[in-house]
Amino acid sequence: MIHLEQLSYTYPDADRPALSAVTLDIAEGEFVLVAGASGAGKSTLLRCLNGLVPHFSGGALGGRINVAGYDPVAAGPHILSRVVGFVFQDPEAQFVLDQVEDEIAFALENAAVPPAEMRLRVEEVLHLLDLTALRDRSPEALSGGEKQRVAIAAALALRPRILMLDEPTSQLDPQSAEEVLHALVRLNQDLGLTVILVEQRLERVLPYIDRLIYLPTDAPVISGPPREVLRQIPLTPPLITLGKALGWEPLPLTIKEGRAFARQAALSAEVRVCPPDPGEEALRVDTLSFAYNGAAALNEVSLSVGDGELVALMGRNGSGKTTLLKCIVGLLRPGQGDVRLSGQSLKGQTTAEICRKVGYLPQTPDDLLFADTVADELSVTLRNHGLLGRPPIGVSDLLTRLGLEGQRTRYPRDLSVGQRQRVALGAITVTRPRLLLLDEPTRGLDYQAKRDLVRLLREWQAEGTAILLVTHDVELVAEAAERVVLLSGGQIVADATPQVLASSPLFAPQIARLFPSHRWLTVDDALSALCPEAPAPHET
Amino acid sequence: MLDARVWLLWALSLLLIASYARNPLYGIVLLLTTLVVGSVCAPDREGPRMPLSPLRFALIAIPLAALFNALTVRLGETVLLQLPTWLPLVGGPVTGEGLVFGATNGLILTVIFSSFAVFNRVIPVRDLIKLTPRAFHESGVVLSIALTFIPQTTRSLQRIREAQAVRGHRVRGLRDWLPIIVPLLVSGLERAIGLAEAMVARGYGAVADAGQPVRNQLFLALGLLALLGGWLGYLFMPAQRGIAAGFALAGAVLLVAVLWLAGRSTVHSVYRQRRWRVQDTLALGGCTLALAVALTQRGALYYAPYPRLAWPAFDPLIGLGLLGLLLPAFLPLDEEERL
């Protein structure tokens, strides 16, 4: 179906190739996952397959590509659009029209498909992706998972034989991501559609795939059945890490496969549940309520975060997590209730005043970046607060801690996702806040960048910084949080140690699903209980 | 749903009538008409494309226009107060007549705004694309995308302002807009590139790649030349008006023909082809009636409060005629035909 031979590609003005000497074969009907650290060329590889590279991007391409008998370089993306459907990361950025049905028909209209045929095909994909009930809605108003399903339907309308998706679930909460993945699995199994998926969180996809392609930054591509490839690569989800460490054979890919091993391995070992020991109260939220134009978003929310404590705030999209953070920093004014910082009420203070003491990282860190260099980005914040003459923390020290000392004079927007996020983190922590509010900091990060972030948070915690973390990432919570607050419909439904996640059908991390009768959450928990002498698989 | 062309005529009729009407009573009739039609016909589309509701527009436009007119126009006998004459521009008497005339202008502006707001809300983007001539299909798509870009940009502006606010940023002077403008432009550009990629990957523009034949381009240039030359001749050479008009007409015919030819050669099909229906004819009739009344009774539509304020005349028959524009609100809306 797809055959690549010695494919190399260099973007215009880039000093090193994005892809070098990639040789690959993908058979018809395979479900393929493309993995690799960010910047390894995953998106570039997909774009080579439908001709967007080099037709859209320019640059120098070498080697041979064959996709279903076409040469994308010679034929161009227009011709390839009949063979390859493409779905992008941000569902919103790909919509043209304002009704689901029209959006799906758009590609057909442009391909001059006769109306009767068009009607049939639109109906077909609406059914395939379970969108019939949403046909007259505006894509803008749908949930994240629904939007992405519309995007898939629109890509399928031309009846391509290959469907390619570039991180389609990175912006979605776990439930919506599940919904999208199930749709893909059905398409692959029922229609025999070849699916090629780029995804950061391997654990979500591993159970379904036939082939795993790993793109290292500077080594030949590894491609093959998932078990074989997983043995050779560093990025591994908790289940695989544990399986490797305990020598489980064949390596389990699903929780179900893993449980068979777990039953034999599990002893009566109980994990330590260290009772959280919060320091002085850093943040106290008291019966806070907020409504958007009369629609209640937060209802009498009360919580506290101690000095040096990391509290995770979880809940589905729209449960009020971001609203709560905005109320704390004064971007939204709560209708009722009070926010206290180290005992002092924040009432009547401006956002600028509050943010000298509180660091708030918004969901899209790119929104912060505008300066010419990384160092400037930090000094702008200092200047805003009138602290330029007497910075509470040295700009160089902070950059070193963030691992950005080499990027000091670079243009922030040229950096990788993980680095850009650390620049944004620097821009909000240069005032040395005692409280950090982070809104989904791991979105779009690869395993390495995530590990770096956890290490950074640990360091700040050790210095007594209180951290309130909004996230969908259960594995992150299992690893880093002392306490979890679950928000649902604007109300707090749980406030407990992360062990509360173990029994939650929505939020349980992989290890908890594997050992349901124990209270383990992370690979380290399980390993230290099962074989205390084994070295930790990775340092965090 | 009515035909997009009927809606276009509806909006244009309102525009034309409003440009004649200075009688506040007819103005109110027109405004109410647009409001009723808007609330009945605009389906519950999520995310309105208009940032301002007509009523809010009225609250701003009417007082502003009244004030401006009252301060700058010296006509009228009902003097409300006397501003010192040494004041530049605004010095002199402020009259009730000026105030009323200004407010009427504000009302008419509101009518125009409101009719466009309704048009914008009732017409889905796909019908906007269909309103453009086939030869311009691609440009029509681009234009309609630009429309959907506006609310997205508004949202990112809000997001970026918040992001900058949490690092202590305050907008005091012009320079302080930099941290907001830069991310806004960059994110807009990134979104545009992403959308362009997505559209190409879905085969947009695939069949139109052939390009327009040279013959068409030549005829297009000739047509434009003839039209322009004829028009200039008509304006500046009174003796040869007949010939000039002929030239302009020939140019116009040539242009239409070229567009028609070019339209035939762009290949694309239409998903929801709808038939012309009785409701369309009725609504068309309503618009025509209102237009006919307005064009024949131009004098009656006009009202000037000067020199002395008097109650404006109101002819119920004219009012009734204008209500023809209300017809779209009363036509039964049946389930849309999809083919």
Side-chain angles (χ1 to χ4, degrees):
Chain A
M1 189 79 189
I2 296 175
H3 175 70
L4 301 183
E5 212 174 291
Q6 294 294 315
L7 170 68
S8 300
Y9 173 72
T10 312
Y11 279 100
D13 305 324
D15 29 341
R16 57 180 202 87
L19 294 171
S20 55
V22 177
T23 300
L24 267 185
D25 274 296
I26 293 172
E28 177 141 30
E30 275 189 319
F31 196 122
V32 183
L33 171 67
V34 181
S38 55
K42 303 184 296 289
S43 305
T44 312
L45 180 68
L46 289 199
R47 285 171 167 76
C48 283
L49 296 181
N50 80 337
L52 280 178
V53 165
H55 283 270
F56 207 83
S57 56
L61 187 135
R64 284 203 2 219
I65 314 175
N66 183 322
V67 177
Y70 291 89
D71 175 4
V73 182
H78 291 147
I79 305 293
L80 263 291
S81 68
R82 293 171 214 157
V83 190
V84 179
F86 205 115
V87 176
F88 294 80
Q89 185 170 4
D90 182 3
E92 250 167 65
Q94 40 199 322
F95 293 138
V96 184
L97 294 166
D98 57 354
Q99 254 177 50
V100 169
E101 211 177 335
D102 295 327
E103 184 63 34
I104 295 170
F106 176 74
L108 298 172
E109 289 184 327
N110 285 303
V113 174
E117 163 97 28
M118 188 149 41
R119 173 114 173 75
L120 182 72
R121 290 213 207 168
V122 169
E123 220 51 48
E124 214 172 77
V125 290
L126 281 174
H127 278 291
L128 264 178
L129 286 147
D130 215 1
L131 292 168
T132 28
L134 308 175
R135 64 190 312 154
D136 291 323
R137 301 274 299 277
S138 154
E140 295 251 317
L142 301 180
S143 79
E146 289 166 344
K147 274 183 197 157
Q148 205 53 292
R149 265 164 40 218
V150 173
I152 294 174
L156 285 182
L158 284 171
R159 288 200 185 142
R161 292 161 66 191
I162 305 168
L163 181 65
M164 301 201 292
L165 308 99
D166 190 359
E167 298 196 33
T169 62
S170 69
Q171 319 242 341
L172 309 181
D173 66 46
Q175 290 76 33
S176 306
E178 233 11 58
E179 183 186 311
V180 170
L181 279 176
H182 281 150
L184 292 179
V185 170
R186 212 172 54 237
L187 290 171
N188 174 254
Q189 288 175 350
D190 296 357
L191 302 187
L193 192 72
T194 310
V195 177
I196 306 177
L197 177 71
V198 170
E199 173 68 62
Q200 294 286 6
R201 298 191 195 166
L202 304 190
E203 61 265 28
R204 284 179 177 170
V205 202
L206 279 181
Y208 312 118
I209 60 171
D210 304 309
R211 175 186 294 277
L212 175 59
I213 295 174
Y214 177 67
L215 289 177
T217 9
D218 32 42
V221 172
I222 309 172
S223 159
R227 277 192 184 87
E228 276 169 33
V229 176
L230 281 170
R231 252 184 269 281
Q232 309 168 44
I233 66 172
L235 349 157
T236 47
L239 172 67
I240 308 296
T241 313
L242 190 71
K244 274 190 192 171
L246 295 174
W248 290 349
E249 280 300 331
L251 208 54
L253 295 182
T254 62
I255 296 294
K256 196 173 164 187
E257 286 170 16
R259 277 203 191 122
F261 293 103
R263 251 175 257 129
Q264 297 160 19
L267 313 167
S268 55
E270 264 303 318
V271 80
R272 35 92 218 167
V273 180
C274 29
D277 172 31
E280 299 254 316
E281 199 164 69
L283 169 76
R284 156 125 234 123
V285 175
D286 252 334
T287 57
L288 190 108
S289 297
F290 181 81
Y292 286 106
N293 304 324
L298 290 176
N299 194 357
E300 307 215 333
V301 168
S302 298
L303 68 92
S304 72
V305 184
D307 283 336
E309 195 185 20
L310 195 155
V311 175
L313 186 59
M314 302 187 78
R316 288 211 62 171
N317 283 350
S319 57
K321 305 181 300 284
T322 301
T323 309
L324 178 58
L325 296 195
K326 285 187 180 170
C327 283
I328 294 174
V329 293
L331 285 173
L332 297 174
R333 294 290 166 186
Q336 178 209 321
D338 194 15
V339 178
R340 285 168 185 281
L341 206 61
S342 304
Q344 245 186 335
S345 174
L346 293 180
K347 248 184 201 148
Q349 298 193 23
T350 65
T351 300
E353 283 165 344
I354 297 173
C355 285
R356 196 184 297 189
K357 294 163 280 184
V358 180
Y360 170 52
L361 181 74
Q363 229 172 62
T364 357
D366 281 359
D367 289 347
L368 282 167
L369 308 180
F370 77 98
D372 293 333
T373 69
V374 169
D376 274 358
E377 213 55 81
L378 271 57
S379 13
V380 165
T381 308
L382 288 175
R383 192 177 322 124
N384 284 342
H385 288 296
L387 294 169
L388 203 53
R390 43 182 178 92
I393 180 171
V395 168
S396 310
D397 294 345
L398 183 56
L399 285 179
T400 311
R401 164 174 281 189
L402 293 163
L404 292 168
E405 66 276 21
Q407 279 74 36
R408 236 194 123 88
T409 54
R410 295 271 309 271
Y411 180 56
R413 284 178 177 272
D414 283 345
L415 303 173
S416 74
V417 192
Q419 288 171 327
R420 284 207 302 272
Q421 194 209 36
R422 291 205 294 276
V423 176
L425 259 177
I428 58 148
T429 53
V430 71
T431 57
R432 251 204 129 146
R434 288 197 51 211
L435 170 68
L436 270 184
L437 309 173
L438 309 177
D439 199 349
E440 296 212 33
T442 57
R443 199 158 97 165
L445 294 193
D446 58 28
Y447 284 94
Q448 183 56 45
K450 227 189 299 192
R451 234 169 274 161
D452 291 345
L453 180 72
V454 171
R455 183 186 47 79
L456 207 57
L457 295 183
R458 287 264 161 84
E459 282 178 29
W460 271 318
Q461 261 185 286
E463 289 167 14
T465 310
I467 302 175
L468 182 60
L469 176 81
V470 165
T471 187
H472 290 307
D473 190 336
V474 283
E475 306 297 341
L476 173 80
V477 174
E479 199 146 299
E482 264 99 50
R483 203 142 55 77
V484 175
V485 174
L486 282 181
L487 212 55
S488 176
Q491 280 178 314
I492 290 186
V493 290
D495 184 345
T497 59
Q499 269 69 25
V500 72
L501 294 179
S503 53
S504 151
L506 281 185
F507 296 110
Q510 281 203 308
I511 298 297
R513 288 176 203 238
L514 209 51
F515 301 99
S517 53
H518 297 69
R519 309 183 72 184
W520 304 334
L521 294 177
T522 64
V523 175
D524 291 350
D525 285 352
L527 277 184
S528 59
L530 290 172
C531 40
E533 70 282 0
H538 56 73
E539 62 290 307
T540 42
Chain B
M1 268 302 297
L2 294 174
D3 195 280
R5 287 163 291 182
V6 175
W7 278 118
L8 187 65
L9 181 72
W10 181 85
L12 289 179
S13 316
L14 263 163
L15 183 68
L16 195 71
I17 298 171
S19 66
Y20 286 132
R22 281 299 174 279
N23 183 327
L25 296 179
Y26 295 126
I28 288 171
V29 170
L30 291 175
L31 182 61
L32 288 177
T33 306
T34 61
L35 291 180
V36 170
V37 171
S39 65
V40 174
C41 293
D44 311 323
R45 326 194 95 244
E46 296 124 333
R49 269 178 271 149
M50 267 303 186
L52 211 60
S53 82
L55 282 177
R56 211 186 275 179
F57 183 89
L59 282 182
I60 301 168
I62 294 177
L64 219 67
L67 198 70
F68 181 77
N69 197 58
L71 287 180
T72 51
V73 174
R74 304 276 148 261
L75 299 170
E77 290 172 1
T78 324
V79 176
L80 297 176
L81 80 161
Q82 196 82 35
L83 288 175
T85 42
W86 50 265
L87 276 174
L89 289 176
V90 298
V94 173
T95 65
E97 287 80 13
L99 213 58
V100 168
F101 194 70
T104 312
N105 280 335
L107 178 69
I108 295 302
L109 273 181
T110 310
V111 171
I112 293 171
F113 177 85
S114 171
S115 64
F116 273 98
V118 171
F119 180 71
N120 199 16
R121 262 170 52 222
V122 292
I123 295 288
V125 171
R126 62 150 197 278
D127 286 356
L128 276 183
I129 296 176
K130 268 186 231 157
L131 276 179
T132 51
R134 284 186 74 173
F136 296 132
H137 175 73
E138 316 266 305
S139 346
V141 173
V142 172
L143 207 71
S144 64
I145 289 171
L147 270 180
T148 53
F149 241 63
I150 296 171
Q152 283 184 15
T153 309
T154 323
R155 275 202 298 275
S156 33
L157 177 69
Q158 171 71 13
R159 241 186 29 230
I160 292 165
R161 285 193 72 147
E162 286 182 356
Q164 296 298 344
V166 300
R167 66 201 286 203
H169 175 264
R170 270 166 277 205
V171 179
R172 296 191 203 86
L174 213 54
R175 267 186 65 89
D176 291 331
W177 279 95
L178 202 64
I180 290 170
I181 298 297
V182 172
L184 190 67
L185 285 182
V186 174
S187 68
L189 205 64
E190 277 168 0
R191 211 170 46 232
I193 292 172
L195 183 63
E197 268 196 319
M199 286 172 67
V200 170
R202 282 162 71 188
Y204 173 71
V207 222
D209 261 358
Q212 299 289 341
V214 183
R215 189 197 54 197
N216 277 2
Q217 291 175 13
L218 196 71
F219 280 146
L220 193 71
L222 268 180
L224 275 175
L225 206 69
L227 183 67
L228 204 68
W231 181 52
L232 287 176
Y234 188 85
L235 285 182
F236 297 112
M237 295 188 295
Q240 273 89 34
R241 275 210 166 155
I243 301 171
F247 246 93
L249 193 70
V253 169
L254 199 57
L255 277 183
V256 172
V258 170
L259 286 185
W260 183 73
L261 274 177
R264 266 201 341 181
S265 69
T266 38
V267 193
H268 73 93
S269 50
V270 178
Y271 178 52
R272 304 196 206 206
Q273 214 136 35
R274 60 186 300 291
R275 265 185 235 107
W276 186 265
R277 286 178 300 172
V278 191
Q279 286 95 320
D280 296 323
T281 316
L282 286 175
L284 189 71
C287 291
T288 322
L289 174 71
L291 261 184
V293 167
L295 290 182
T296 49
Q297 306 292 320
R298 261 191 259 178
L301 285 177
Y302 192 80
Y303 157 81
Y306 307 118
R308 190 167 191 85
L309 212 50
W311 194 251
F314 185 80
D315 184 342
L317 279 178
I318 296 180
L320 216 59
L322 292 184
L323 286 184
L325 292 170
L326 199 57
L327 218 53
F330 293 103
L331 293 171
L333 298 167
D334 49 356
E335 180 54 30
E336 186 160 341
E337 283 176 77
R338 283 185 207 276
L339 261 175

